[in-house]
Amino acid sequence: LSNNRQLPLRTRTPAEARRQFGVSVHNREWKPRRIAQRRVRFDVAREKLERSKAICRELGIAYGLAEAHSAGCEMEQLAGDLVAAEREAREAIRVATEMGALRYVAMYRTELASVLLEQGRDAEAAAEIDEAREHGGYAPLWTSVHSRVVAREGRVDEEQAVERRRDRHVGHA
C-alpha cells in the first residue's frame, strides 16, 4: 500500500493526515466528522441503508429495522444532517418500543440525546437520558451523554460524580 489514500484512516500518522487533508491533528479542523464528510459518498450510503430497511420491512425483521435506523442516525450525524439523525433515532426508538425491547429503547434514546445535545437542545437531551435510565440500558452509554448535559449546565459536582460512577462500572465490566 504505497498510496496513502488506500490506508484506513486509523492507521494514518498525523503527517500523512496533514498531507492528505491539509490540516494538523493539533488544529481544531482535525475532526473525524469533517474528514468523513470529505471521503464518504453519503448518497450511496443512504441508498444502501434504505435498501436494508426495505428488506427488513419485507421480511418482518424488526430488530434489523431498528438497527438500520440506528445506523442511519450515526451516518446522518457524520454527514452533518442532525434533523435526519434525529428522525432516524426516533424511528429506532419506535420500532424497539413496538418489539418491547427496552434495553434497545434505552440505547436508542441515548443516541437521540446525543443528537439533541449537538443541536443545543440540552433540556430535551436530559429528558431522553432520564428515559434511558428508567429502561435500564447499559450505564456507560447514557452516563457519557448525561455527563455532557450536566457539564453544559455547569453542574460540575454532579458531572464529576457521574464520571466516577462510570469509571467504577467500566472497571468492573
Side-chain angles (χ1 to χ4, degrees):
L1 294 174
S2 61
N3 183 345
N4 286 340
R5 293 186 189 276
Q6 294 176 344
L7 291 173
L9 182 59
R10 65 183 167 274
T11 63
R12 285 196 177 86
T13 66
E16 290 169 330
R18 188 171 38 257
R19 277 194 302 276
Q20 182 170 356
F21 298 110
V23 295
S24 167
V25 293
H26 303 293
N27 181 326
R28 291 185 155 262
E29 292 297 308
W30 174 261
K31 295 195 184 233
R33 178 173 300 141
R34 289 190 181 131
I35 291 169
Q37 287 172 333
R38 294 179 185 178
R39 300 184 66 209
V40 175
R41 300 246 346 252
F42 288 106
D43 56 335
V44 173
R46 286 182 182 104
E47 287 175 18
K48 290 183 184 283
L49 192 56
E50 287 307 314
R51 178 160 163 62
S52 174
K53 291 178 202 173
I55 291 169
C56 288
R57 283 186 198 99
E58 183 180 321
L59 297 176
I61 305 171
Y63 172 73
L65 182 58
E67 282 294 292
H69 281 295
S70 175
C73 175
E74 291 180 35
M75 179 195 62
E76 295 298 355
Q77 282 181 288
L78 284 172
D81 188 344
L82 297 178
V83 172
E86 179 181 350
R87 185 174 47 249
E88 291 285 356
R90 290 190 187 282
E91 277 301 300
I93 292 166
R94 184 190 61 74
V95 173
T97 300
E98 288 175 2
M99 290 171 31
L102 296 182
R103 289 174 90 57
Y104 286 95
V105 170
M107 287 183 351
Y108 302 145
R109 285 194 180 281
T110 301
E111 287 179 3
L112 176 58
S114 183
V115 172
L116 295 171
L117 268 179
E118 286 189 51
Q119 294 175 340
R121 295 161 59 190
D122 297 3
E124 291 174 72
E128 290 298 333
I129 291 301
D130 289 343
E131 287 286 326
R133 291 164 85 175
E134 285 181 27
H135 292 304
Y138 184 53
L141 291 174
W142 61 259
T143 55
S144 176
V145 178
H146 178 71
S147 179
R148 288 172 47 207
V149 169
V150 296
R152 274 190 172 179
E153 294 174 351
R155 298 173 4 217
V156 177
D157 291 341
E158 184 179 346
E159 191 262 340
Q160 290 171 345
V162 168
E163 289 297 321
R164 282 193 298 274
R165 281 194 305 272
R166 185 178 69 184
D167 290 345
R168 277 195 307 270
H169 181 68
V170 170
H172 293 357

